[in-house]
Amino acid sequence: MEILGGIFAIAGSVFLFLAALGLIRMPDMYDRMQAGTKATTLGTMLFLIGLAMAEPQWVGKSALLILFVIFSNPLSSHALARAAYHAGISLGERAACDELAGACEDEEETA
Amino acid sequence: MIKRFLAIIALLGAAAVLLPFVLKLPTEEALPGLASEYIENAPGELGAANLVTGIIVTYRGLDTLGEVAVLFAATAAVGLLLKRTGNEGGVSHWRASEILESGGGFLFPLIILYGVYIFLHGHLTPGGGFQGGVVIATGFLLLLLSGSVNSFNHTVMSLVESFSGFAYVAVALAGLIWAAGFLDPRFLPQGDFGRLFSAGAIPVIYSLIGLKVGAELIGILDAMRCKVRREGVTA
Amino acid sequence: MADQLFNIAAVIMLISLVLAIVRLLIGPSVGDRAVALDAMTIISLSLIGWIALSTGRGIYMDVALVYGLISFVGIVAIARYLERGL
Amino acid sequence: MNIAIVIILGVLMLAAAVTALYLKSLSAAVIAAGAVSLLASVIYLLLAAPDVAMTEAAIGSALTTVVFLYALSRMRGTKKEDPRD
């Protein structure tokens, strides 16, 4: 069981490493966001599952942490992506088309 | 150029002054007198599993009272400086997205619950009143950021804050009457070591500190926020 | 054996933390830095889990939860500032 | 092992702090300062001070960041978008 937990932890850390590599290598901000948020969510979940396997009495806290990561990480990345688009950060040279162009103008209001 | 050179000289001088302390630092294995006194006596006297919070609340209780008073003064000063005059705050805001709004509404009870857990278990696990209060304030901040709440009820906030401050001093005075001195938590039963209801009045004091810190920090954040212009609201 | 596996995982996480902070330092736009901070937070959250395992103290997981929770709100605040919603 | 990790994280923290000083954009500097306090929190935990680590994570990474950002957005509100100018 502990060995299995260690293997899960290695897999999770490899995903975290791939996320950081994507953060360095990707060409523009939106691609970096793809790498930096999705892969880290999966990596953290795998690592915490491995942790819960290695120390079975921490299952509760690990499950709470996994639940929290599942809910919070997509939320923050969504907020960041939307904010970056509204702040006018460019899509990069290689982007084929910008399907959101013109879709956001009527959203501004002084709510 | 000469300025940078002088800066480097000053940095080297500071390094030369501080180097003996750094070299001396890891060699001190034995605890100094007061710390070893605390570590030997505190678990038996207080019954708190987390030694740090026990020391902060009891032996250093007056310092904690002073910190809470300082935070109160800071809140009052921020509220005074950033007082609304009524016609300012004409900043147009982007509305938060619907995903953020509903996600914030979902995460808010979780965060508040966790803050309450932290300050209730202050004598067992790391954290305590201050950290729990900050977590609660963060939950309310998430509501503000996600746009589902636009302002807070100031009456309730000031009521919670003044009640918890008053009750903190009242508990301290109760220690003066029924136990050894001011801020002595041992007038309540000690209970079993490591249980939730143990360690005398430390959980009570920490709950009050947590409520007070949370209300104060929410007050600061609410005062610092740019108020949204009212007349442009589309229903 | 299992401890060594976890230690290897910790080394990999440290390397990825270094990579993420490099992006935070060189990132051309503010959005890049914010994304790097988000990734750094998640990686350090796993690192805190490893610290809890290697010291054998379950209470450190509380710190990890506070860490993730609060830096999530910080990231949301940065995002709302960027889109002029703060 | 622990000391090596502390040294690595300390060097990263120093790099982030120096970058926060030299950045032109104020909001990027705020993000770098947030990274400094996140790393400081991990270092406190490695040095076996969980209470301080929790306080540092709570205060440094969210509340100071948010207060800085509020101040920046107030500055931005008075400078550019004030309708009375």
mmCIF file with all atom_site columns, all heavy atoms in Angstrom, chain A residues 78-79 82 107, chain B residues 94-102 146, chain C residues 80 83:
data_model
loop_
_atom_site.group_PDB
_atom_site.id
_atom_site.type_symbol
_atom_site.label_atom_id
_atom_site.label_alt_id
_atom_site.label_comp_id
_atom_site.label_asym_id
_atom_site.label_entity_id
_atom_site.label_seq_id
_atom_site.pdbx_PDB_ins_code
_atom_site.Cartn_x
_atom_site.Cartn_y
_atom_site.Cartn_z
_atom_site.occupancy
_atom_site.B_iso_or_equiv
_atom_site.pdbx_formal_charge
_atom_site.auth_seq_id
_atom_site.auth_comp_id
_atom_site.auth_asym_id
_atom_site.auth_atom_id
_atom_site.pdbx_PDB_model_num
ATOM 1   N N   . HIS A 1 78  ? -10.247 30.286 -14.192 1.00 0.00 ? 78  HIS A N   1
ATOM 2   C CA  . HIS A 1 78  ? -11.274 30.937 -14.998 1.00 0.00 ? 78  HIS A CA  1
ATOM 3   C C   . HIS A 1 78  ? -11.243 32.447 -14.786 1.00 0.00 ? 78  HIS A C   1
ATOM 4   O O   . HIS A 1 78  ? -11.276 33.225 -15.746 1.00 0.00 ? 78  HIS A O   1
ATOM 5   C CB  . HIS A 1 78  ? -12.647 30.390 -14.622 1.00 0.00 ? 78  HIS A CB  1
ATOM 6   C CG  . HIS A 1 78  ? -13.767 31.324 -14.933 1.00 0.00 ? 78  HIS A CG  1
ATOM 7   N ND1 . HIS A 1 78  ? -14.234 31.513 -16.209 1.00 0.00 ? 78  HIS A ND1 1
ATOM 8   C CD2 . HIS A 1 78  ? -14.483 32.144 -14.143 1.00 0.00 ? 78  HIS A CD2 1
ATOM 9   C CE1 . HIS A 1 78  ? -15.205 32.408 -16.183 1.00 0.00 ? 78  HIS A CE1 1
ATOM 10  N NE2 . HIS A 1 78  ? -15.371 32.803 -14.951 1.00 0.00 ? 78  HIS A NE2 1
ATOM 11  N N   . ALA A 1 79  ? -11.147 32.860 -13.513 1.00 0.00 ? 79  ALA A N   1
ATOM 12  C CA  . ALA A 1 79  ? -11.129 34.297 -13.226 1.00 0.00 ? 79  ALA A CA  1
ATOM 13  C C   . ALA A 1 79  ? -9.911  34.949 -13.856 1.00 0.00 ? 79  ALA A C   1
ATOM 14  O O   . ALA A 1 79  ? -9.997  36.037 -14.427 1.00 0.00 ? 79  ALA A O   1
ATOM 15  C CB  . ALA A 1 79  ? -11.147 34.523 -11.715 1.00 0.00 ? 79  ALA A CB  1
ATOM 16  N N   . ARG A 1 82  ? -10.327 35.185 -17.768 1.00 0.00 ? 82  ARG A N   1
ATOM 17  C CA  . ARG A 1 82  ? -11.263 36.244 -18.119 1.00 0.00 ? 82  ARG A CA  1
ATOM 18  C C   . ARG A 1 82  ? -10.647 37.606 -17.882 1.00 0.00 ? 82  ARG A C   1
ATOM 19  O O   . ARG A 1 82  ? -10.747 38.516 -18.719 1.00 0.00 ? 82  ARG A O   1
ATOM 20  C CB  . ARG A 1 82  ? -12.512 36.068 -17.251 1.00 0.00 ? 82  ARG A CB  1
ATOM 21  C CG  . ARG A 1 82  ? -13.618 37.027 -17.515 1.00 0.00 ? 82  ARG A CG  1
ATOM 22  C CD  . ARG A 1 82  ? -14.725 36.750 -16.522 1.00 0.00 ? 82  ARG A CD  1
ATOM 23  N NE  . ARG A 1 82  ? -15.309 37.985 -16.056 1.00 0.00 ? 82  ARG A NE  1
ATOM 24  C CZ  . ARG A 1 82  ? -16.456 38.451 -16.540 1.00 0.00 ? 82  ARG A CZ  1
ATOM 25  N NH1 . ARG A 1 82  ? -17.094 37.791 -17.453 1.00 0.00 ? 82  ARG A NH1 1
ATOM 26  N NH2 . ARG A 1 82  ? -16.945 39.576 -16.091 1.00 0.00 ? 82  ARG A NH2 1
ATOM 27  N N   . GLU A 1 107 ? -21.078 43.547 -21.845 1.00 0.00 ? 107 GLU A N   1
ATOM 28  C CA  . GLU A 1 107 ? -21.089 43.048 -20.475 1.00 0.00 ? 107 GLU A CA  1
ATOM 29  C C   . GLU A 1 107 ? -20.770 44.129 -19.463 1.00 0.00 ? 107 GLU A C   1
ATOM 30  O O   . GLU A 1 107 ? -21.028 43.988 -18.289 1.00 0.00 ? 107 GLU A O   1
ATOM 31  C CB  . GLU A 1 107 ? -20.050 41.937 -20.320 1.00 0.00 ? 107 GLU A CB  1
ATOM 32  C CG  . GLU A 1 107 ? -20.648 40.571 -20.387 1.00 0.00 ? 107 GLU A CG  1
ATOM 33  C CD  . GLU A 1 107 ? -19.607 39.521 -20.119 1.00 0.00 ? 107 GLU A CD  1
ATOM 34  O OE1 . GLU A 1 107 ? -18.936 39.657 -19.100 1.00 0.00 ? 107 GLU A OE1 1
ATOM 35  O OE2 . GLU A 1 107 ? -19.469 38.607 -20.926 1.00 0.00 ? 107 GLU A OE2 1
ATOM 36  N N   . TRP B 2 94  ? -16.193 46.161 -13.792 1.00 0.00 ? 94  TRP B N   1
ATOM 37  C CA  . TRP B 2 94  ? -16.624 44.977 -14.508 1.00 0.00 ? 94  TRP B CA  1
ATOM 38  C C   . TRP B 2 94  ? -17.346 44.091 -13.526 1.00 0.00 ? 94  TRP B C   1
ATOM 39  O O   . TRP B 2 94  ? -16.866 43.856 -12.425 1.00 0.00 ? 94  TRP B O   1
ATOM 40  C CB  . TRP B 2 94  ? -15.432 44.214 -15.051 1.00 0.00 ? 94  TRP B CB  1
ATOM 41  C CG  . TRP B 2 94  ? -14.809 44.829 -16.223 1.00 0.00 ? 94  TRP B CG  1
ATOM 42  C CD1 . TRP B 2 94  ? -13.750 45.665 -16.195 1.00 0.00 ? 94  TRP B CD1 1
ATOM 43  C CD2 . TRP B 2 94  ? -15.185 44.662 -17.578 1.00 0.00 ? 94  TRP B CD2 1
ATOM 44  N NE1 . TRP B 2 94  ? -13.437 46.038 -17.465 1.00 0.00 ? 94  TRP B NE1 1
ATOM 45  C CE2 . TRP B 2 94  ? -14.306 45.430 -18.334 1.00 0.00 ? 94  TRP B CE2 1
ATOM 46  C CE3 . TRP B 2 94  ? -16.176 43.942 -18.227 1.00 0.00 ? 94  TRP B CE3 1
ATOM 47  C CZ2 . TRP B 2 94  ? -14.390 45.502 -19.704 1.00 0.00 ? 94  TRP B CZ2 1
ATOM 48  C CZ3 . TRP B 2 94  ? -16.256 44.007 -19.584 1.00 0.00 ? 94  TRP B CZ3 1
ATOM 49  C CH2 . TRP B 2 94  ? -15.371 44.786 -20.315 1.00 0.00 ? 94  TRP B CH2 1
ATOM 50  N N   . ARG B 2 95  ? -18.468 43.601 -13.952 1.00 0.00 ? 95  ARG B N   1
ATOM 51  C CA  . ARG B 2 95  ? -19.163 42.654 -13.088 1.00 0.00 ? 95  ARG B CA  1
ATOM 52  C C   . ARG B 2 95  ? -18.410 41.338 -13.081 1.00 0.00 ? 95  ARG B C   1
ATOM 53  O O   . ARG B 2 95  ? -17.827 40.934 -14.081 1.00 0.00 ? 95  ARG B O   1
ATOM 54  C CB  . ARG B 2 95  ? -20.573 42.436 -13.606 1.00 0.00 ? 95  ARG B CB  1
ATOM 55  C CG  . ARG B 2 95  ? -21.546 42.019 -12.541 1.00 0.00 ? 95  ARG B CG  1
ATOM 56  C CD  . ARG B 2 95  ? -22.874 41.847 -13.154 1.00 0.00 ? 95  ARG B CD  1
ATOM 57  N NE  . ARG B 2 95  ? -22.769 41.059 -14.376 1.00 0.00 ? 95  ARG B NE  1
ATOM 58  C CZ  . ARG B 2 95  ? -23.803 40.747 -15.129 1.00 0.00 ? 95  ARG B CZ  1
ATOM 59  N NH1 . ARG B 2 95  ? -24.981 41.161 -14.806 1.00 0.00 ? 95  ARG B NH1 1
ATOM 60  N NH2 . ARG B 2 95  ? -23.669 40.016 -16.211 1.00 0.00 ? 95  ARG B NH2 1
ATOM 61  N N   . ALA B 2 96  ? -18.398 40.656 -11.922 1.00 0.00 ? 96  ALA B N   1
ATOM 62  C CA  . ALA B 2 96  ? -17.752 39.352 -11.881 1.00 0.00 ? 96  ALA B CA  1
ATOM 63  C C   . ALA B 2 96  ? -18.576 38.353 -12.682 1.00 0.00 ? 96  ALA B C   1
ATOM 64  O O   . ALA B 2 96  ? -19.776 38.508 -12.843 1.00 0.00 ? 96  ALA B O   1
ATOM 65  C CB  . ALA B 2 96  ? -17.634 38.888 -10.439 1.00 0.00 ? 96  ALA B CB  1
ATOM 66  N N   . SER B 2 97  ? -17.897 37.327 -13.176 1.00 0.00 ? 97  SER B N   1
ATOM 67  C CA  . SER B 2 97  ? -18.611 36.367 -14.011 1.00 0.00 ? 97  SER B CA  1
ATOM 68  C C   . SER B 2 97  ? -19.527 35.505 -13.161 1.00 0.00 ? 97  SER B C   1
ATOM 69  O O   . SER B 2 97  ? -19.377 35.408 -11.946 1.00 0.00 ? 97  SER B O   1
ATOM 70  C CB  . SER B 2 97  ? -17.622 35.490 -14.746 1.00 0.00 ? 97  SER B CB  1
ATOM 71  O OG  . SER B 2 97  ? -16.951 34.685 -13.828 1.00 0.00 ? 97  SER B OG  1
ATOM 72  N N   . GLU B 2 98  ? -20.452 34.869 -13.849 1.00 0.00 ? 98  GLU B N   1
ATOM 73  C CA  . GLU B 2 98  ? -21.454 34.096 -13.122 1.00 0.00 ? 98  GLU B CA  1
ATOM 74  C C   . GLU B 2 98  ? -20.822 32.882 -12.451 1.00 0.00 ? 98  GLU B C   1
ATOM 75  O O   . GLU B 2 98  ? -21.232 32.462 -11.368 1.00 0.00 ? 98  GLU B O   1
ATOM 76  C CB  . GLU B 2 98  ? -22.536 33.669 -14.105 1.00 0.00 ? 98  GLU B CB  1
ATOM 77  C CG  . GLU B 2 98  ? -23.899 33.554 -13.503 1.00 0.00 ? 98  GLU B CG  1
ATOM 78  C CD  . GLU B 2 98  ? -24.918 33.376 -14.598 1.00 0.00 ? 98  GLU B CD  1
ATOM 79  O OE1 . GLU B 2 98  ? -24.817 34.116 -15.580 1.00 0.00 ? 98  GLU B OE1 1
ATOM 80  O OE2 . GLU B 2 98  ? -25.779 32.499 -14.470 1.00 0.00 ? 98  GLU B OE2 1
ATOM 81  N N   . ILE B 2 99  ? -19.809 32.314 -13.115 1.00 0.00 ? 99  ILE B N   1
ATOM 82  C CA  . ILE B 2 99  ? -19.121 31.149 -12.546 1.00 0.00 ? 99  ILE B CA  1
ATOM 83  C C   . ILE B 2 99  ? -18.483 31.519 -11.219 1.00 0.00 ? 99  ILE B C   1
ATOM 84  O O   . ILE B 2 99  ? -18.598 30.799 -10.221 1.00 0.00 ? 99  ILE B O   1
ATOM 85  C CB  . ILE B 2 99  ? -18.059 30.646 -13.537 1.00 0.00 ? 99  ILE B CB  1
ATOM 86  C CG1 . ILE B 2 99  ? -18.712 30.248 -14.840 1.00 0.00 ? 99  ILE B CG1 1
ATOM 87  C CG2 . ILE B 2 99  ? -17.282 29.511 -12.946 1.00 0.00 ? 99  ILE B CG2 1
ATOM 88  C CD1 . ILE B 2 99  ? -17.724 29.874 -15.887 1.00 0.00 ? 99  ILE B CD1 1
ATOM 89  N N   . LEU B 2 100 ? -17.825 32.691 -11.205 1.00 0.00 ? 100 LEU B N   1
ATOM 90  C CA  . LEU B 2 100 ? -17.168 33.117 -9.973  1.00 0.00 ? 100 LEU B CA  1
ATOM 91  C C   . LEU B 2 100 ? -18.187 33.387 -8.890  1.00 0.00 ? 100 LEU B C   1
ATOM 92  O O   . LEU B 2 100 ? -17.973 33.066 -7.712  1.00 0.00 ? 100 LEU B O   1
ATOM 93  C CB  . LEU B 2 100 ? -16.348 34.366 -10.267 1.00 0.00 ? 100 LEU B CB  1
ATOM 94  C CG  . LEU B 2 100 ? -15.413 34.808 -9.153  1.00 0.00 ? 100 LEU B CG  1
ATOM 95  C CD1 . LEU B 2 100 ? -14.444 33.706 -8.850  1.00 0.00 ? 100 LEU B CD1 1
ATOM 96  C CD2 . LEU B 2 100 ? -14.687 36.051 -9.544  1.00 0.00 ? 100 LEU B CD2 1
ATOM 97  N N   . GLU B 2 101 ? -19.338 33.955 -9.301  1.00 0.00 ? 101 GLU B N   1
ATOM 98  C CA  . GLU B 2 101 ? -20.346 34.287 -8.305  1.00 0.00 ? 101 GLU B CA  1
ATOM 99  C C   . GLU B 2 101 ? -20.877 33.027 -7.626  1.00 0.00 ? 101 GLU B C   1
ATOM 100 O O   . GLU B 2 101 ? -20.905 32.925 -6.396  1.00 0.00 ? 101 GLU B O   1
ATOM 101 C CB  . GLU B 2 101 ? -21.471 35.052 -8.989  1.00 0.00 ? 101 GLU B CB  1
ATOM 102 C CG  . GLU B 2 101 ? -22.306 35.860 -8.038  1.00 0.00 ? 101 GLU B CG  1
ATOM 103 C CD  . GLU B 2 101 ? -23.297 36.699 -8.802  1.00 0.00 ? 101 GLU B CD  1
ATOM 104 O OE1 . GLU B 2 101 ? -22.939 37.198 -9.879  1.00 0.00 ? 101 GLU B OE1 1
ATOM 105 O OE2 . GLU B 2 101 ? -24.434 36.844 -8.319  1.00 0.00 ? 101 GLU B OE2 1
ATOM 106 N N   . SER B 2 102 ? -21.269 32.021 -8.441  1.00 0.00 ? 102 SER B N   1
ATOM 107 C CA  . SER B 2 102 ? -21.838 30.832 -7.813  1.00 0.00 ? 102 SER B CA  1
ATOM 108 C C   . SER B 2 102 ? -20.757 30.016 -7.113  1.00 0.00 ? 102 SER B C   1
ATOM 109 O O   . SER B 2 102 ? -21.007 29.418 -6.056  1.00 0.00 ? 102 SER B O   1
ATOM 110 C CB  . SER B 2 102 ? -22.572 29.989 -8.846  1.00 0.00 ? 102 SER B CB  1
ATOM 111 O OG  . SER B 2 102 ? -21.786 29.837 -9.987  1.00 0.00 ? 102 SER B OG  1
ATOM 112 N N   . SER B 2 146 ? -16.478 38.235 -5.554  1.00 0.00 ? 146 SER B N   1
ATOM 113 C CA  . SER B 2 146 ? -17.322 37.594 -6.545  1.00 0.00 ? 146 SER B CA  1
ATOM 114 C C   . SER B 2 146 ? -18.572 38.416 -6.832  1.00 0.00 ? 146 SER B C   1
ATOM 115 O O   . SER B 2 146 ? -19.351 38.052 -7.690  1.00 0.00 ? 146 SER B O   1
ATOM 116 C CB  . SER B 2 146 ? -17.705 36.196 -6.086  1.00 0.00 ? 146 SER B CB  1
ATOM 117 O OG  . SER B 2 146 ? -18.454 36.281 -4.918  1.00 0.00 ? 146 SER B OG  1
ATOM 118 N N   . ARG C 3 80  ? -9.426  39.981 -10.313 1.00 0.00 ? 80  ARG C N   1
ATOM 119 C CA  . ARG C 3 80  ? -10.431 41.040 -10.324 1.00 0.00 ? 80  ARG C CA  1
ATOM 120 C C   . ARG C 3 80  ? -9.774  42.403 -10.479 1.00 0.00 ? 80  ARG C C   1
ATOM 121 O O   . ARG C 3 80  ? -10.340 43.321 -11.088 1.00 0.00 ? 80  ARG C O   1
ATOM 122 C CB  . ARG C 3 80  ? -11.240 41.012 -9.024  1.00 0.00 ? 80  ARG C CB  1
ATOM 123 C CG  . ARG C 3 80  ? -12.125 39.823 -8.896  1.00 0.00 ? 80  ARG C CG  1
ATOM 124 C CD  . ARG C 3 80  ? -13.279 39.873 -9.844  1.00 0.00 ? 80  ARG C CD  1
ATOM 125 N NE  . ARG C 3 80  ? -14.290 40.831 -9.413  1.00 0.00 ? 80  ARG C NE  1
ATOM 126 C CZ  . ARG C 3 80  ? -15.165 41.395 -10.229 1.00 0.00 ? 80  ARG C CZ  1
ATOM 127 N NH1 . ARG C 3 80  ? -15.130 41.114 -11.504 1.00 0.00 ? 80  ARG C NH1 1
ATOM 128 N NH2 . ARG C 3 80  ? -16.041 42.238 -9.788  1.00 0.00 ? 80  ARG C NH2 1
ATOM 129 N N   . GLU C 3 83  ? -9.012  42.860 -14.250 1.00 0.00 ? 83  GLU C N   1
ATOM 130 C CA  . GLU C 3 83  ? -10.148 43.211 -15.100 1.00 0.00 ? 83  GLU C CA  1
ATOM 131 C C   . GLU C 3 83  ? -10.897 44.420 -14.561 1.00 0.00 ? 83  GLU C C   1
ATOM 132 O O   . GLU C 3 83  ? -12.014 44.662 -14.938 1.00 0.00 ? 83  GLU C O   1
ATOM 133 C CB  . GLU C 3 83  ? -11.092 42.020 -15.272 1.00 0.00 ? 83  GLU C CB  1
ATOM 134 C CG  . GLU C 3 83  ? -11.748 41.544 -14.008 1.00 0.00 ? 83  GLU C CG  1
ATOM 135 C CD  . GLU C 3 83  ? -12.727 40.428 -14.269 1.00 0.00 ? 83  GLU C CD  1
ATOM 136 O OE1 . GLU C 3 83  ? -12.873 40.059 -15.430 1.00 0.00 ? 83  GLU C OE1 1
ATOM 137 O OE2 . GLU C 3 83  ? -13.321 39.957 -13.304 1.00 0.00 ? 83  GLU C OE2 1
#
